[in-house]
Amino acid sequence: MAPHAIGAAHTERIVHDDPRHPLYLGTWKQSKKPDVQDFVYDDFEEPHRKRQKAILNKHPEVRSLYGNEPLTAFIGALATAVQLAVAYKIGCVWTDMHWSVVLAIAYFVGGTLSALYGVIIHEAGHNLVFKMGLLNRLTGLMVNLPMVVPISQSFRRYHLEHHQFQGVEGKDPDLPLDSEVKYIHNNPILKTLWVFCYSAMYVLRGLAMKKTPQRWELINWAFTVFMDVMIVRYMSIRSLAYLAVSVFFGYGMHPGAAHFIQEHYIFRDGQETYSYYGSGNIFYLNIGLHNEHHDFPQIPWTRIYKLRRIATEFYDPLYAHTSWIGVIFLFIASPMQGPQARLVRKYKAHLSGRREYKVPDDRAKSTAPKRRDSVIASA
């Protein structure tokens, strides 16, 4: 055999049908030993890119759902105006209000709105608000105004990397740090504190990536510092403190922040992404439909439920949550839950899974099993 033929034989790649088809659930299992302090590992790439292709093979009409939703910007502007008005009242009018009442308002009003800002930043990060990328970035900055800390542009950067490298060790910024696993593990008290301080954990994970800030991140920093100064100048330091506490509540022990746990913490063997189907989706712009979103990040929140109705045979069999409060409770109470309850893959497995396995073209049939219903009661 000629030398070039030998080389070709060595570099030839054999492509197989992906054995996870059509639901793309894995065969991996989470350890049943509560004392295990390690992630669960898989040898395949994330399931969403291939499930998207499988759905499009069977339902090409899903492409008609792609697009933008400018209504999101209007909702963001209204929510921003309401929060700034409350901050003005607390800082400049209700100055004798007892601190306990201020904290209650910061939780039930400020925290609820702050969690909504995160959802809008998420939509803008995927360019799902306007067609023009610049307008999406400006939408993110707008709702970042009452959040005290610069988050919108860094979130956009790291969240898109999360989609690209879901579960990939060292590349997915959404994965908990080793220190979180080591010190929090399955201790219910420490998990409670972890949930309260989740906003700080999110920031620390980004910093751990050790990446140089990009231009829009620097713009975000400058804009936020300037607006913080303006709030103190034209309202008061009390107003700024109210906004800061609101963000702490809204990204911590709050139903509106439970989707951070709901999305990728393992609740069933073989499934690494989870959706939530409950009333919270009404206020929080369907952020709970996370399997659907990862499969089709091109679809805005106003049309994502249509995807679920079209491709019901792909989504009904997947385990789903029905209560965000239940998610938080189960995460804290279960000895099997903790920062370690995440699926992780090596970068090599991520690449080989995409290169060596393909989506079978079985457009004429569906082999989806029956639904595995949620065991979490509705809130």
Side-chain angles (χ1 to χ4, degrees):
M1 183 180 292
H4 69 274
I6 295 175
H10 279 288
T11 58
E12 182 180 0
R13 187 170 70 244
I14 300 176
V15 179
H16 306 277
D17 286 346
D18 195 312
R20 301 173 299 170
H21 184 77
L23 299 181
Y24 292 90
L25 295 173
T27 58
W28 51 265
K29 295 183 181 296
Q30 184 181 21
S31 173
K32 303 306 179 185
K33 298 178 180 179
D35 59 338
V36 173
Q37 293 192 2
D38 199 4
F39 297 117
V40 182
Y41 280 83
D42 189 22
D43 293 328
F44 282 88
E45 89 282 26
E46 54 83 18
H48 301 289
R49 178 177 293 192
K50 288 181 179 174
R51 190 159 62 217
Q52 179 193 87
K53 186 174 181 179
I55 291 173
L56 288 175
N57 283 345
K58 190 169 184 181
H59 301 287
E61 68 273 21
V62 165
R63 290 189 176 90
S64 67
L65 302 178
Y66 297 179
N68 310 95
E69 183 50 81
L71 174 63
T72 311
F74 174 77
I75 295 173
L78 180 62
T80 298
V82 169
Q83 178 71 326
L84 290 176
V86 175
Y88 173 78
K89 284 287 189 179
I90 287 178
C92 303
V93 180
W94 302 330
T95 54
D96 295 329
M97 181 178 288
H98 193 270
W99 64 268
S100 61
V101 180
V102 173
L103 288 179
I105 295 175
Y107 184 87
F108 291 104
V109 178
T112 301
L113 290 174
S114 293
L116 177 61
Y117 301 147
V119 175
I120 295 171
I121 287 172
H122 172 264
E123 291 286 303
H126 283 284
N127 287 341
L128 294 176
V129 184
F130 297 105
K131 292 182 179 180
M132 186 183 299
L134 175 61
L135 293 180
N136 286 282
R137 289 192 179 272
L138 294 179
T139 299
L141 290 178
M142 174 185 67
V143 296
N144 201 156
L145 195 159
M147 297 183 73
V148 180
V149 294
I151 185 175
S152 68
Q153 304 307 308
S154 292
F155 176 87
R156 176 190 177 105
R157 176 186 186 182
Y158 290 118
H159 182 70
L160 294 180
E161 290 182 1
H162 162 62
H163 273 261
Q164 184 179 2
F165 300 109
Q166 179 181 316
V168 177
E169 196 172 50
K171 290 184 176 293
D172 183 357
D174 189 63
L175 289 174
L177 302 174
D178 290 340
S179 57
E180 294 177 62
V181 175
K182 179 180 179 180
Y183 295 110
I184 306 300
H185 193 219
N186 60 3
N187 184 300
I189 296 176
L190 294 179
K191 284 193 289 185
T192 300
L193 293 175
W194 182 87
V195 173
F196 265 112
C197 300
Y198 191 80
S199 56
M201 297 298 101
Y202 219 72
V203 172
L204 290 175
R205 292 174 194 172
L207 293 174
M209 302 299 287
K210 298 180 180 179
K211 295 190 175 183
T212 303
Q214 297 178 341
R215 179 169 64 95
W216 272 100
E217 291 179 281
L218 297 175
I219 292 173
N220 196 171
W221 273 92
F223 173 79
T224 303
V225 170
F226 175 77
M227 295 310 304
D228 288 350
V229 171
M230 291 297 100
I231 289 170
V232 174
R233 173 68 177 81
Y234 293 103
M235 294 187 192
S236 70
I237 189 68
R238 180 181 167 97
S239 298
L240 189 69
Y242 161 78
L243 294 175
V245 174
S246 295
V247 172
F248 177 77
F249 284 151
Y251 277 73
M253 187 67 75
H254 193 286
H259 65 90
F260 292 117
I261 298 173
Q262 158 234 311
E263 292 166 352
H264 295 294
Y265 285 86
I266 298 171
F267 289 86
R268 284 294 183 274
D269 290 338
Q271 185 174 333
E272 62 179 294
T273 304
Y274 301 81
S275 287
Y276 155 80
Y277 306 125
S279 58
N281 283 320
I282 298 173
F283 186 80
Y284 288 112
L285 313 187
N286 292 329
I287 191 66
L289 277 70
H290 206 62
N291 261 306
E292 294 83 348
H293 167 66
H294 263 273
D295 289 350
F296 291 90
Q298 312 94 323
I299 300 178
W301 65 274
T302 49
R303 300 170 215 159
I304 198 73
Y305 253 115
K306 293 181 181 178
L307 165 65
R308 170 166 169 71
R309 287 194 289 268
I310 291 172
T312 182
E313 71 273 27
F314 288 90
Y315 295 116
D316 275 358
L318 303 181
Y319 177 83
H321 298 288
T322 58
S323 169
W324 274 334
I325 295 175
V327 167
I328 296 175
F329 174 80
L330 186 58
F331 181 82
I332 293 174
S334 172
M336 302 309 302
Q337 290 295 329
Q340 73 282 355
R342 290 289 296 266
L343 187 74
V344 175
R345 51 182 54 86
K346 300 291 186 181
Y347 185 55
K348 182 179 180 180
H350 166 79
L351 292 178
S352 64
R354 291 189 173 179
R355 292 172 178 171
E356 298 173 14
Y357 295 91
K358 66 181 178 68
V359 177
D361 191 357
D362 55 351
R363 307 181 192 194
K365 64 180 181 179
S366 173
T367 57
K370 294 182 179 180
R371 177 183 176 87
R372 298 186 290 173
D373 292 325
S374 171
V375 297
I376 300 179
S378 298

